[in-house]
Amino acid sequence: NAGVMQNPRHLVRRRGQEARLRCSPMKGHSHVYWYRQLPEEGLKFMVYLQKENIIDESGMPKERFSAEFPKEGPSILRIQQVVRGDSAAYFCASSPDLAGGRTDTQYFGPGTRLTVL
Amino acid sequence: LAKTTQPISMDSYEGQEVNITCSHNNIATNDYITWYQQFPSQGPRFIIQGYKTKVTNEVASLFIPADRKSSTLSLPRVSLSDTAVYYCLVGSLMDSSYKLIFGSGTRLLVRP
C-alpha cells in the first residue's frame, strides 16, 4: 500500500508566481490535511478537506492561498503571487474514514519544499 | 486543543533506553495522546498513540499516569538512526476536524 504521495518534492518560484502543490492520499483515505513547517519549528495546520469539501480552513491565510480536493485526482494547495515568506516545507497528511464520525491517525507525505526567490 | 510541553533536546548513547516526558495539564476527557517522529527533510511518522495506562508496540512504549496530565514515550535500546525530533500531541478523535497542533518537539541526539 503506497503511502501519501506529494509532488513536486522541491519547487522554486520567483516572487509573484503561482505555486501548485499536489497530494495523493493513501489508498482508501478520504481525509486530507495540509500543514506548513518553517525551519526549526513544528508543523502548523492549514486546512482539512474531504472529497469536494473544505471542512476546516482556519489555518489558511485569508489571501493568496486556496486548497481543493476534487472527486477525482489529488488534493491541490495553490499559492498565488508567492512572496519570500511563503518559503517553507508543506506537508500533506491523510486519514481513513471511521464509523461514528471519528477521525483517525494521520499519515504524512514526504513534503514539498517551496523556495521563493 | 491541549497545549503540550516537552524538553527542547535530549542526548543519549546507542543501546540506552530513552524516556521523553510530555506535559499536557489541560488535556480533555476525549483527548488521545499521540507521538510522532520526524527526520530531517521528511514528514512526521506516527509512532504510538494512547489514552491511558500503557501502550506498547514494536517501536516504543507509552506510559500515561492516571491523571493523564503527562505522558512518557519510552524508546528501548536506541540506535543512531533514532536521532530525530519527537513530537507529543493531544487531540480528540471525536471532532469533525482532528487538527494536529505541533509544538517545537524534542530533538533527540543519539551518540555512538
Side-chain angles (χ1 to χ4, degrees):
Chain A
N1 187 13
V4 177
M5 309 283 285
Q6 288 189 251
N7 68 82
R9 293 293 309 276
H10 300 273
L11 182 61
V12 179
R13 285 287 178 267
R14 296 189 181 279
R15 282 180 296 170
Q17 291 184 320
E18 179 180 281
R20 284 196 179 201
L21 288 62
R22 296 174 185 78
C23 169
S24 296
M26 289 179 69
K27 186 176 181 180
H29 288 192
S30 59
H31 303 257
V32 167
Y33 313 78
W34 286 93
Y35 294 82
R36 176 165 61 178
Q37 185 176 35
L38 297 174
E40 308 301 316
E41 294 187 9
L43 283 72
K44 297 289 192 294
F45 169 82
M46 299 181 74
V47 61
Y48 163 39
L49 310 102
Q50 292 184 25
K51 282 289 187 181
E52 299 184 278
N53 288 306
I54 296 175
I55 307 302
D56 180 349
E57 56 181 347
S58 58
M60 287 272 277
K62 299 299 181 190
E63 298 178 349
R64 302 188 298 106
F65 285 73
S66 63
E68 62 179 12
F69 189 16
K71 186 176 181 180
E72 301 290 337
S75 175
I76 306 285
L77 178 67
R78 184 182 292 110
I79 311 172
Q80 296 177 305
Q81 300 178 322
V82 296
V83 301
R84 290 222 173 99
D86 297 331
S87 294
Y90 292 83
F91 292 97
C92 167
S94 72
S95 65
D97 276 329
L98 289 180
R102 292 178 58 230
T103 58
D104 199 357
T105 303
Q106 295 178 27
Y107 296 90
F108 285 80
T112 294
R113 273 144 194 86
L114 173 65
T115 301
V116 179
L117 302 177
Chain B
L1 295 175
K3 180 180 178 180
T4 59
T5 303
Q6 39 181 138
I8 294 174
S9 63
M10 295 182 68
D11 280 16
S12 183
Y13 291 91
E14 278 190 295
Q16 289 188 333
E17 177 184 80
V18 171
N19 296 307
I20 306 175
T21 297
C22 177
S23 297
H24 27 79
N25 292 318
N26 297 322
I27 190 168
T29 304
N30 290 331
D31 285 345
Y32 279 71
I33 300 156
T34 309
W35 285 79
Y36 282 85
Q37 174 193 55
Q38 186 178 27
F39 298 113
S41 301
Q42 295 188 26
R45 182 175 76 105
F46 171 84
I47 301 176
I48 198 166
Q49 183 178 78
Y51 184 80
K52 62 180 180 180
T53 61
K54 177 184 175 182
V55 180
T56 297
N57 61 24
E58 64 277 6
V59 177
S61 294
L62 179 60
F63 298 92
I64 306 168
D67 66 5
R68 304 203 323 125
K69 292 184 182 300
S70 67
S71 59
T72 298
L73 174 72
S74 181
L75 305 173
R77 300 182 61 79
V78 294
S79 63
L80 297 178
S81 62
D82 292 318
T83 294
V85 178
Y86 292 81
Y87 294 99
C88 163
L89 297 91
V90 295
S92 171
L93 294 184
M94 295 304 294
D95 293 341
S96 60
S97 171
Y98 184 37
K99 185 188 314 180
L100 297 182
I101 297 180
F102 287 79
S104 298
T106 297
R107 294 183 176 277
L108 172 65
L109 174 61
V110 180
R111 302 178 186 274

